[in-house]
């Protein structure tokens, strides 16, 4: 199976692109960079895992992606509190990061069993 066909990859890539588009005017470059990096890590780690040769490696990189989803959610919530991110957008992004983490958790378990 190609990672591009995975719903979790599609959704995480879409979220990453949205973060780049919606935060390009943010003046705190360090925060913006960290936010977009953690968002970009999710689909990138999924892709890297699926390009590996073993179920164990796939599961390992999916776990990295899951960690990045948690990191991203935290950064979004802090961005809302700091006034960098509008609450409606931020809450939607944070909810999506949470859902991605859950999807990744299920996928990790599947690959660990195979």
């Amino acid at each position: 199976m190609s990672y591009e066909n995975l719903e979790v990859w599609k959704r995480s890539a879409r979220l990453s692109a949205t973060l780049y588009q919606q935060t390009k005017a943010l003046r705190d470059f360090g925060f913006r960079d960290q936010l977009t990096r953690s968002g970009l890590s999710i689909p990138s780690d999924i892709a890297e895992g699926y390009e590996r040769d073993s179920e164990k490696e796939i599961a390992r990189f999916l776990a990295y992606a899951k960690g990045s989803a948690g990191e991203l959610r935290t950064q979004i919530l802090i961005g809302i509190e700091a006034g960098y991110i509008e609450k409606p957008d931020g809450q939607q992004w944070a909810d999506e990061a949470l859902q991605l983490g859950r999807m990744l958790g299920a996928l990790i378990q599947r690959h660990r069993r195979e």
Side-chain angles (χ1 to χ4, degrees):
M1 169 182 254
S2 172
Y3 64 85
E4 290 126 324
N5 295 325
L6 295 169
E7 188 64 25
V8 69
W9 183 85
K10 291 176 189 176
R11 286 172 60 174
S12 62
R14 194 174 316 123
L15 178 58
S16 180
T18 298
L19 292 170
Y20 275 98
Q21 293 164 349
Q22 298 296 315
T23 64
K24 62 184 170 192
L26 186 59
R27 294 180 127 164
D28 185 332
F29 302 116
F31 179 80
R32 184 180 70 201
D33 184 56
Q34 188 63 41
L35 183 76
T36 55
R37 281 173 175 260
S38 57
L40 184 60
S41 289
I42 302 168
S44 298
D45 285 338
I46 294 167
E48 187 168 356
Y50 275 86
E51 291 296 322
R52 300 289 174 135
D53 289 333
S54 73
E55 294 295 322
K56 184 178 177 182
E57 285 286 290
I58 293 170
R60 184 164 67 100
F61 278 87
L62 291 175
Y64 295 155
K66 187 176 186 307
S68 293
E71 181 182 2
L72 175 61
R73 186 165 189 271
T74 295
Q75 292 162 356
I76 292 167
L77 295 173
I78 290 168
I80 293 168
E81 285 298 314
Y84 288 169
I85 299 172
E86 295 291 327
K87 190 167 186 171
D89 288 337
Q91 196 57 60
Q92 182 181 351
W93 301 340
D95 291 347
E96 180 69 355
L98 180 64
Q99 289 300 314
L100 292 171
R102 289 178 178 161
M103 292 169 77
L104 287 162
L107 204 50
I108 290 165
Q109 292 307 313
R110 191 180 102 205
H111 285 284
R112 286 184 177 158
R113 284 193 295 269
E114 292 180 8

